[in-house]
Amino acid sequence: MALPTEIKQWITSQDGLENLKETTASLPAPGPNEVLVKINAISLNYRDTEVVMGLYNHHKTTGGPAPTLVPCSDMCGTIVTSNSPTWKEGDKVLSIFNQTHQKGQVKAVHMKSGLGLPLPGVLAEYRVFPDYGLVRKPEYLSDEEASTLPIAGLTAWMAINGMRPLGQAGGRGETVLIQGTGGVAVNGLLIAKASGAEVIITSSSDTKLEQANKLGADKTINYRTTTDWDKEVLKMTNDEGVDIIFENGGAQTLRKSFNCVSFGGLIDCIGYLSGKEDAPGDRLNTNVLALLRNVTLKGILNGPKERFEEMLAFYEEKKIKPVIDRVFGFAESKDALIYLFQGGHFGKVVIKVE
């Protein structure tokens, strides 16, 4: 197909969602062992809103952003030019968040290869990638569905399986507590149920809890009407607590997560939607809280390529279908990010590139 000489892209100066700008640039050209990808769909993450708002500054190892930056990290696209023996024209691919994180534990050096900060992201019509920075798209998924998996899907997978050896995914017979109904949470629900786990979901919306029930959630808690949701979790589990917690809230939720995790359980520190600084009040030290139930507290910073491919094989086997809340057009990218930031979505928000 004939390629354009000029492409559209969105850029940010990290000065607010309202200041995101659509602009044009020359079509990039791939070098040795690189490929040019026509981007078909982009899914949004809370991280993207933080980058655009200039608030993503707690990871010092990224080295900091450029003055202007193309945001966003998760895309599904089609290779249109390949200078690599790994890929051919027409291959459908997904991006990897930290491009150099291929296997094992993430290291500081990998943080400098993150798409959408510090590297230019994917909110564009075309982008060049190194051949190692992509994985193959599952054929049974649409481009929009597949685009949701690089961060939300893999983060959820690592929350359940990251402490287990590669190739030994688990979950059967375990109880998983998932906070909220965003992208990571809903993917976590889908993975946990497909793995044979029991799932408890919390939300402030009864409507969203009903949606979670339809996806297989075993039990639900409205944390707005049941403020002592940790006690409710213990009641639901006969005072045993849950084996794994998707700790997405942060400041307002972590203390209660410690209260309702099982002895020897795992608290996955994923997000901080309720704040980055602890609330005043109960200041019992984290060491004491961990000792009370012999708890493992684990930060989840996405995962390596090898675990992404492991997860995609599981999705393919179980034919898991990611949940998309809403699809925006490329020209509506600013509206899409504002919509995501408002927090009313269930599942993922996606931008379709025509």
Side-chain angles (χ1 to χ4, degrees):
M1 79 181 202
L3 298 176
T5 57
E6 194 173 71
I7 67 168
K8 295 176 183 177
Q9 62 181 19
W10 287 82
I11 60 170
T12 176
S13 299
Q14 296 93 61
D15 56 352
L17 296 172
E18 69 281 2
N19 294 319
L20 192 67
K21 295 181 178 67
E22 184 180 336
T23 184
T24 58
S26 298
L27 180 74
N33 298 311
E34 291 183 338
V35 297
L36 176 64
V37 174
K38 181 183 183 299
I39 296 174
N40 301 327
I42 301 147
S43 73
L44 304 181
N45 298 288
Y46 185 73
R47 174 186 186 268
D48 301 325
T49 67
E50 281 204 301
V51 169
V52 175
M53 296 167 73
L55 301 176
Y56 195 77
N57 48 29
H58 51 281
H59 286 301
K60 303 303 181 187
T61 48
T62 62
T68 59
L69 182 75
V70 176
C72 303
S73 58
D74 294 9
M75 73 92 214
C76 176
T78 306
I79 292 176
V80 292
T81 306
S82 176
N83 292 336
S84 164
T86 305
W87 302 105
K88 67 181 186 300
E89 291 180 19
D91 284 343
K92 290 283 190 82
V93 291
L94 308 179
S95 53
I96 297 169
F97 170 41
N98 283 320
Q99 294 273 282
T100 62
H101 188 200
Q102 301 288 297
K103 61 182 181 179
Q105 172 63 46
V106 66
K107 301 291 186 181
V109 65
H110 303 313
M111 299 296 289
K112 291 181 170 57
S113 70
L115 296 178
L117 189 149
L119 296 186
V122 301
L123 196 52
E125 293 179 314
Y126 292 81
R127 191 190 189 283
V128 166
F129 292 87
D131 57 7
Y132 57 78
L134 301 165
V135 296
R136 197 170 301 277
K137 168 194 170 288
E139 290 185 8
Y140 78 99
L141 294 177
S142 70
D143 291 352
E144 291 81 11
E145 290 168 337
S147 75
T148 68
L149 299 177
I151 283 187
L154 184 53
T155 298
W157 180 258
M158 294 299 288
I160 293 172
N161 292 303
M163 298 291 283
R164 311 179 211 264
L166 181 69
Q168 297 182 33
R172 182 166 299 281
E174 297 177 343
T175 304
V176 181
L177 171 66
I178 300 176
Q179 296 172 359
T181 54
V184 173
V186 173
N187 273 281
L189 168 59
L190 296 173
I191 292 168
K193 291 307 301 177
S195 302
E198 181 180 42
V199 179
I200 303 171
I201 290 271
T202 68
S203 173
S204 61
S205 164
D206 287 334
T207 300
K208 291 181 179 180
L209 291 175
E210 288 175 14
Q211 290 175 280
N213 277 136
K214 291 176 182 177
L215 291 176
D218 298 280
K219 295 165 184 169
T220 60
I221 302 171
N222 186 317
Y223 65 78
R224 186 158 290 161
T225 56
T226 306
T227 54
D228 290 334
W229 54 264
D230 50 336
K231 294 178 181 177
E232 186 67 17
V233 170
L234 288 174
K235 191 185 303 180
M236 289 176 169
T237 58
N238 297 316
D239 287 330
E240 284 292 322
V242 294
D243 300 295
I244 298 173
I245 296 179
F246 280 50
E247 179 40 73
N248 296 322
Q252 304 292 331
T253 57
L254 182 57
R255 180 67 171 87
K256 290 182 177 180
S257 290
F258 273 113
N259 291 343
C260 64
V261 69
S262 66
F263 274 77
L266 172 65
I267 298 177
D268 290 306
C269 298
I270 297 170
Y272 37 81
L273 294 175
S274 68
K276 295 182 182 180
E277 296 185 6
D278 285 342
D282 186 351
R283 307 295 294 177
L284 194 60
N285 181 262
T286 302
N287 283 12
V288 177
L289 292 169
L291 285 166
L292 287 175
R293 287 177 171 261
N294 195 29
V295 174
T296 298
L297 197 66
K298 173 66 174 171
I300 304 292
L301 194 59
N302 202 235
K305 180 178 182 177
E306 63 180 358
R307 301 308 293 254
F308 194 10
E309 291 175 329
E310 175 191 43
M311 184 208 82
L312 291 174
F314 180 84
Y315 268 63
E316 188 103 45
E317 176 192 349
K318 303 294 185 180
K319 293 296 183 284
I320 296 174
K321 298 282 278 185
V323 176
I324 295 175
D325 177 273
R326 186 171 169 186
V327 178
F328 288 79
F330 187 72
E332 303 171 301
S333 293
K334 184 190 299 187
D335 295 334
L337 281 157
I338 291 171
Y339 176 76
L340 178 78
F341 182 70
Q342 290 170 341
H345 56 289
F346 180 95
K348 293 292 290 182
V349 178
V350 173
I351 294 168
K352 184 173 183 178
V353 186
E354 299 294 345

